[in-house]
Amino acid sequence: MVSSSKESKSEVGRRNFLKTAVVAGAATTLPDEVSAADSPTQAIKSDAQTKRGLAAPSTEQMNMEASTLDQLAEASSEQLASSNSADTASSFGSDFMIDVMKSLDLDYVFSNPGSSFLGLHESITVYGGNSKPEFITCMHEESAAAMANGYYKAALKPAAIMCHGTVGLQHAAMNIYNAWCDRVPLIAILGNTIDAADRMGGTTWRHSAQDPAAMVRDFTKWDDQPASLQAFAESMVRGWKISTTPPMEPIALTVDSTLQEMKVDDRDGLAIPKFTPSEPPQGERGAVRETAGLLVDAESPVIIADRLARTPEGMSLLVELAELLNAPVIDIASRQNMPTKHYLNQTRQSGRLISQADLILGLEVTDFWGQINSVNRAEMTSEPRVKEGVKLITISVNDLYMKSNYQDFQRYAPVDISISGDAEATLPVLIEEVKEAMSRSRSRALSRKEKMFRKMHADSFEESRQLAASGWNSSPVSTARMCMELYEQIKTEDWALVSVGASERFVSSWPHRLWDIDEHYRYLGIGAGGGVGYGLPAAVGAALANKELGRFSVNIQCDGDFMYANGALWTAAHHRIPLLTVMHNNRAYAQETMLVQGTANRRKRGVDKAPIGTVIQDPNIDYAKLAEGMGVWSAGPIEDPEDLRPALIEAVKVVKSGYPALVDVVTQMR
Amino acid sequence: MKMTALANILIFLCLFGANFAVAQDIAIERGEQTYMRVGCYECHGTDGKGNEAGPPLTPDTLPPEAIANFVRFSPGRMPVYPEEILSDAEISDIVAYLDSVKPSPDADSIDILRGLVSEEN
Ligand SMILES: Cc1ncc(C[n+]2csc(CCOP(=O)(O)OP(=O)(O)O)c2C)c(N)n1
Ligand SMILES: [Mg+2]
């Protein structure tokens, strides 16, 4: 079965060395291909260099270059496969691990290379043919984790990251936390050398830990460090299942380097267990029925949805429920739950509606307390913003995955009915029960509200439209102008706004105010843990998914966020990931400028120092140049709003031909 | 004699007008500097055109007294600006600046905004 004695390990070591030499030999024949494969990026770059500002490489040119690249990529993988044909049988531990990954239909591993997972790295590219999973080169583990997050939200399919269980995981941790707060499944594969006798000094010691996953245990749902290949198979499949069962969350698997290198003599003696997705937990029928009755009888019910729509089905179900009751919906939109142009999407009236409601139904709302109370952060005070006697009901998986240390679970909210269950999975039953409880006359009575809600919807839309005109010609460019010029260019595409910084409020929520967000995939929410450094890599990961799905990916990119992990742009260029990035370049950590301003005002000791430490000026950063330097077509910095349209038109062309593009817009702070 | 008196009055009015205009320009400039220095632009935009973080301050800028009244006791998100960090005179300058800002176009005169409808049909 599996040889695990020291002798056979050193045998493996020698064989590995020889094999590595063979691969290296094969690789020596590759440089031509590698450099040729790089040439399209180079061509784009030089083209961008000459035409930077307003012109794109011609579509023809890029089509030709892309097809040349595909041929070269195919040729080189064939060459590699044939050069190793004698060795393609599963023979190393890491090869078996790839078999397990393939059995789960894993498409991508987002990774930055590291010696603790060399075996896996080589197996992905050589044994696995760099397909399912494909190795996506990331320039920072933080980017890898955000890419996997964005990828999941667009593809609705988990991806893996692979990093050193020590230094790599230290980098990845923040965006694993963002994924945790976002209820996103993610498989973190952590390289490690558990057996100290197998550590060959220096780095192998520094890059080993007794318990690597400890660092992220507070914000992963499960982790394991399997000690055999058979245990790996079971842990990988188990981890996948745990991660993708609502509440979906990241999991971590520490993968021992010795296990990766282990020679497998009897592959048939190893079994890959069958993966069966778990059905999500559904709310208890009796409580759902009671909720339905209360909803039907309520005079002014309000539905609040946050992470309800795990899938497009969630959106359809919410629309159906809201229409049955003619109940307004407030969409916190950590996922797109309700189409923005549906008359029952009353998000902009949330304050008024919540304060008048006689029943509030929260669907996968993380911070329900925050919805029913108003907080004055500066004064450190809060007060209820709901009527006395309001019935409060929640359906969520919130109580099913809590951990103690990190406080992302928010303040405790007392409610009248608390249903533990996945809201999307519970809605069909709730809808059924509402239909059951609804008399004809009640239905007629409720339908009379439609006119009022249509008017309210139209009024708040008009208010936003008027506000968008204010400052239309300003320089720095208003966020309204930036967002609406962008929308004008993409609205006829099958677009998806894959990322919008740490909060959509950073661009005054223009997409949700005025764009027609009519599909679940058109908006993917934000970095849920509030960890900045999510936006760009998450956009790249989502755009990778959308490339296959034929969607046009758009990223509104804050400058501060950009500078945490801008290497993600190179990943987009390298892997030919079409993505339109529009910089909301307010030359500041504006959120912090405002917060420092507020603090200074409260302390009354001078109010003119807020920019210290919070602005990104002197020197200004040239994002177009940065992009260009990474092989990405770019334009800007644009200060005159009149220059925006022609730049966007060109950028859209570039993206439609399969490449990333960036337009740097110098903007107002909000 | 009569002519000279008239001329004198005219000269006086011109000078007064010019002086007034110059004084007004200075107030506008001072107002803009203060507006930026104390951070109004962070939420209301560099020219007071507003957004979600802070409402537009122009057109129809409130008179200085009303603004002073608001910023001294602001109950909401708006940071409070007491007299010792923003004087009444500075508020008057800020109002002069905001009054001088060019108005924005009407939403219906903007091609992109004109055709927007609130509901899909
Ligand atoms: C990892 C991390 N570091 C710092 C912060 C604090 N923080 C919150 S918002 C923000 C500013 C982000 O700037 P930018 O992305 O440009 O957005 P802006 O507010 O300027 O629109 C910072 C630094 C954070 N949330 N996360
Ligand atoms: Mg910024």
Side-chain angles (χ1 to χ4, degrees), chain A residues 142 174 178 501-503 505-507 529-534 557-564 583-595 613-614 616 623 667-670:
Chain A
E142 180 185 15
M174 186 206 75
N178 271 336
S503 165
R505 289 205 306 265
F506 289 9
V507 288
V532 182
Y534 158 92
Q557 179 60 49
C558 294
D559 53 342
D561 181 277
F562 182 92
M563 291 307 291
Y564 283 76
M583 293 295 304
H584 165 37
N585 177 11
N586 53 19
R587 293 180 172 156
Y589 300 113
Q591 187 64 13
E592 301 302 314
T593 320
M594 293 181 215
L595 289 174
T614 69
I616 312 176
Y623 296 97
T667 45
Q668 298 284 341
M669 282 205 162
R670 288 285 177 259

Side-chain angles (χ1 to χ4, degrees), chain A residues 304 306 332 354 360 362 364-377 380-386 392-394 396 398 408-415:
Chain A
I304 308 179
D306 188 2
I332 304 173
I354 286 174
I360 299 175
E364 298 297 355
V365 180
T366 305
D367 185 10
F368 193 68
W369 184 91
Q371 289 298 316
I372 55 176
N373 288 277
S374 57
V375 179
N376 185 330
R377 199 167 152 174
M380 305 260 286
T381 56
S382 66
E383 57 180 354
R385 61 166 173 162
V386 288
L392 301 173
I393 304 173
T394 54
S396 83
N398 282 355
D408 57 296
F409 41 79
Q410 303 287 338
R411 194 152 178 189
Y412 181 79
V415 296

